[in-house]
Amino acid sequence: MDRIKIIGGNKLNGIIPISGAKNAALPLMIASLLTADILTLENLPRLVDVELLIRILGNHGVDYSVNGRREHQDSNYSRTVHFHARHIVTTKAPYDLVAKMRASFWVIGPLLARIGRAEVSLPGGCAIGTRPVDFILDGLRVLGAEISIEKGYIDAKTHKGLVGGEYTFPKITVGGTHVMLMAASLARGDTVLHNVACEPEVINLARCLNSMGANITGAGTSEIHISGVSSLSGARIKVIPDRIEIGTYAIAVAMVGGDVMLKGSFPRLLDSVLQILRKTGVNIIENAEGIRIQHNGDAIEPYNIETRPFPGFPTDLQAQFMGLMTRANGISRITETIFENRFMHVQEFVRLGAHIALSGQTATIKGVKRLQGAQVMATDLRASVSLVIAGLAAEGETIINRVYHLDRGFERLEEKLSNCGANIKRIHGDNYLVDKSSSTAAIS
Ligand code: UD1
């Protein structure tokens, strides 16, 4: 299994190109199931999760082809890919595929809408909590789906096609919003969804569906209206920049010091995070090229946060922000409100010398002057990257084990960081593609 070795202490200086967002790419790829025409996605990141979803979609009959390199394009980064679901050959999404990536459960929406049937394995729990799909199923029932659960599979059917309806999500869910948008686009009549997710990735999907001929208004607000259409066509759409990648590198610079341009990032993707980073003492300059982050690596002010759905502080940056707070001048509190078990990085930070006490869903962090390098274990995607940035700030050598999580969600992480002066190296072990276990890959 691969490991990452970091010798901490180097400041970061230079340019980091921001990749397409994993969390936008996955639902956009799944939307290709809704049409017999070609859906072209630009700026699709090169990630293990994207490759896995290509395999999962391939099982349903989706062909794909990749554009060759274009002038001025770095062939190592995001690319343009065409998806073509001319015929759906199976409506079954088997356990061994769905268990590898939780978001693949979302195929239930387009399969049901286009074919009238979806048999999708329940995704099961994952390292950051139980993550049920009850609201997704309730929403689909409102659109007329008959749903039964047998032998670990959801069997969803509709005999005369989906029909529009009104549904209020009891709790904001990103995946639930994606599924309902896709399903309702091909339902007969109008659908109104209340208490939906406002994440930029939802807007990206709604724009894509509208380019395919759907009739969606209100994406980006808490209420969405969809007038169903009888079929959707192909389209071409660009995957938005990855706001979690932007936030992660911004926090890295805050933690170790330096001056880095996050090229291709827009502030509106993560306003709340940038405002908080400013309050911790980070200098942030926004211009047409991207967001420039400057900090001397010392004198980080403590700040209390609660994770919230967009536009609040994202749960996917909670672990990284905790890393930053381990070095703050004082005490800070971090409360996780989205997932019940998303503190597995705490014990690993403690191995690096951090002072953190956990009580329920709140972590209290007493900043220390220096972290010290140690061996640590990556537990999920975002926790893994928080250990990388903590390692960059720690004295001496940090070895991060089980790093295959990083490849699921961060495009060329070591290369981007070492180009800015970090001393970071991958130590190759066994083939991680063979070695990946289902429980780890299910966290997206
Ligand atoms: C997405 C993101 C993930 C991010 C999360 C929250 C992708 C691929 N993943 O995950 O990175 O951390 O949003 O921003 O985009 N819930 C229910 N019942 C349901 C659905 C959800 O109780 O039917 C709960 C979940 O357990 C969780 C909360 O709602 O407590 C939010 O989850 P949700 O927004 O659905 O997360 P995902 O879409 O899976």
Side-chain angles (χ1 to χ4, degrees):
M1 218 178 286
D2 287 4
R3 293 180 293 163
I4 280 184
K5 179 176 158 186
I6 297 168
I7 309 290
N10 291 6
K11 290 199 187 310
L12 296 171
N13 286 291
I15 297 174
I16 295 182
I18 296 302
S19 300
K22 169 182 87 76
N23 286 357
L26 302 181
L28 290 171
M29 290 167 69
I30 290 173
S32 68
L33 288 168
L34 286 163
T35 175
D37 295 340
I38 295 173
L39 178 65
T40 298
L41 302 181
E42 296 173 13
N43 200 31
L44 198 71
R46 290 167 195 266
L47 298 170
V48 167
D49 269 11
V50 167
E51 301 308 322
L52 197 56
L53 186 55
I54 285 175
R55 261 167 50 200
I56 291 167
L57 293 174
N59 176 57
H60 293 294
V62 181
D63 294 329
Y64 80 102
S65 61
V66 185
N67 269 14
R69 187 178 167 190
R70 298 291 184 266
E71 228 180 327
H72 309 304
Q73 195 182 13
D74 185 333
S75 60
N76 290 328
Y77 291 109
S78 304
R79 63 227 153 123
T80 297
V81 182
H82 312 277
F83 293 90
H84 196 184
R86 190 198 308 265
H87 302 293
I88 304 289
V89 296
T90 175
T91 54
K92 187 159 184 165
Y95 173 78
D96 56 340
L97 293 178
V98 177
K100 288 199 169 92
M101 188 177 48
R102 194 186 144 81
S104 60
F105 180 78
W106 302 344
V107 299
I108 193 169
L111 288 177
L112 194 56
R114 180 165 160 197
I115 307 292
R117 179 94 191 257
E119 300 148 275
V120 183
S121 169
L122 276 164
C126 71
I128 61 174
T130 52
R131 298 180 82 175
V133 291
D134 47 349
F135 307 146
I136 300 180
L137 300 183
D138 286 348
L140 292 173
R141 282 193 187 99
V142 165
L143 300 186
E146 289 167 26
I147 294 176
S148 55
I149 304 178
E150 266 173 55
K151 296 184 182 156
Y153 278 77
I154 302 288
D155 190 355
K157 294 180 200 150
T158 152
H159 296 295
K160 291 184 183 153
L162 294 174
V163 283
E166 188 159 0
Y167 182 64
T168 303
F169 287 98
K171 179 176 181 183
I172 293 176
T173 144
V174 175
T177 306
H178 288 323
V179 170
M180 289 299 281
L181 279 183
M182 290 190 272
S185 289
L186 282 183
R188 269 194 323 282
D190 294 344
T191 297
V192 185
L193 302 174
H194 304 277
N195 199 30
V196 295
C198 305
E199 268 66 1
E201 294 76 20
V202 168
I203 302 175
N204 206 183
L205 177 65
R207 287 205 176 129
C208 172
L209 294 171
N210 281 344
S211 309
M212 293 165 76
N215 201 340
I216 300 170
T217 53
T221 73
S222 61
E223 187 177 301
I224 294 182
H225 292 242
I226 306 139
S227 280
V229 294
S230 57
S231 68
L232 294 169
S233 60
R236 185 180 187 99
I237 189 110
K238 191 167 178 181
V239 178
I240 58 171
D242 194 321
R243 63 196 165 96
I244 304 305
E245 195 194 22
I246 300 168
T248 299
Y249 290 127
I251 292 171
V253 177
M255 214 170 156
V256 304
D259 183 347
V260 172
M261 167 55 78
L262 303 175
K263 196 173 161 194
S265 45
F266 323 133
R268 67 165 196 276
L269 291 172
L270 71 169
D271 264 339
S272 63
V273 177
L274 297 178
Q275 271 173 35
I276 289 169
L277 284 180
R278 283 194 172 100
K279 288 185 180 144
T280 66
V282 180
N283 192 29
I284 300 174
I285 303 159
E286 298 156 11
N287 64 29
E289 198 188 348
I291 303 173
R292 186 169 167 188
I293 311 287
Q294 297 171 318
H295 195 249
N296 63 9
D298 281 319
I300 297 153
E301 291 308 314
Y303 197 85
N304 300 337
I305 60 154
E306 265 190 19
T307 59
R308 291 275 168 211
F310 192 85
F313 193 96
T315 174
D316 286 351
L317 285 173
Q318 181 254 104
Q320 298 87 316
F321 191 77
M322 188 181 294
L324 180 63
M325 289 299 100
T326 63
R327 297 211 39 232
N329 291 334
I331 293 175
S332 58
R333 280 182 192 79
I334 296 183
T335 303
E336 173 59 52
T337 72
I338 311 285
F339 294 112
E340 79 265 26
N341 189 25
R342 205 172 202 179
F343 277 136
M344 281 174 310
H345 40 281
V346 167
Q347 284 318 311
E348 305 304 309
F349 282 142
V350 169
R351 292 181 59 75
L352 296 172
H355 290 182
I356 307 173
L358 259 186
S359 169
Q361 292 295 95
T362 299
T364 304
I365 305 120
K366 187 168 169 225
V368 294
K369 242 197 155 26
R370 291 267 166 267
L371 295 176
Q372 262 132 32
Q375 289 240 15
V376 289
M377 186 74 80
T379 50
D380 72 55
L381 170 58
R382 311 305 179 181
S384 308
V385 83
S386 73
L387 295 173
V388 169
I389 59 181
L392 295 175
E395 270 172 1
E397 180 181 289
T398 296
I399 302 275
I400 301 163
N401 295 291
R402 296 175 72 187
V403 296
Y404 50 78
H405 298 284
L406 287 171
D407 301 320
R408 295 187 38 233
F410 287 89
E411 191 175 47
R412 306 183 84 85
L413 173 98
E414 305 100 274
E415 184 183 304
K416 289 183 184 186
L417 287 170
S418 56
N419 284 349
C420 288
N423 188 338
I424 177 170
K425 219 169 46 200
R426 183 176 291 241
I427 305 166
H428 291 286
D430 305 338
N431 184 348
Y432 64 86
L433 279 174
V434 174
D435 202 58
K436 280 193 309 177
S437 74
S438 57
S439 63
T440 54
I443 312 146
S444 43

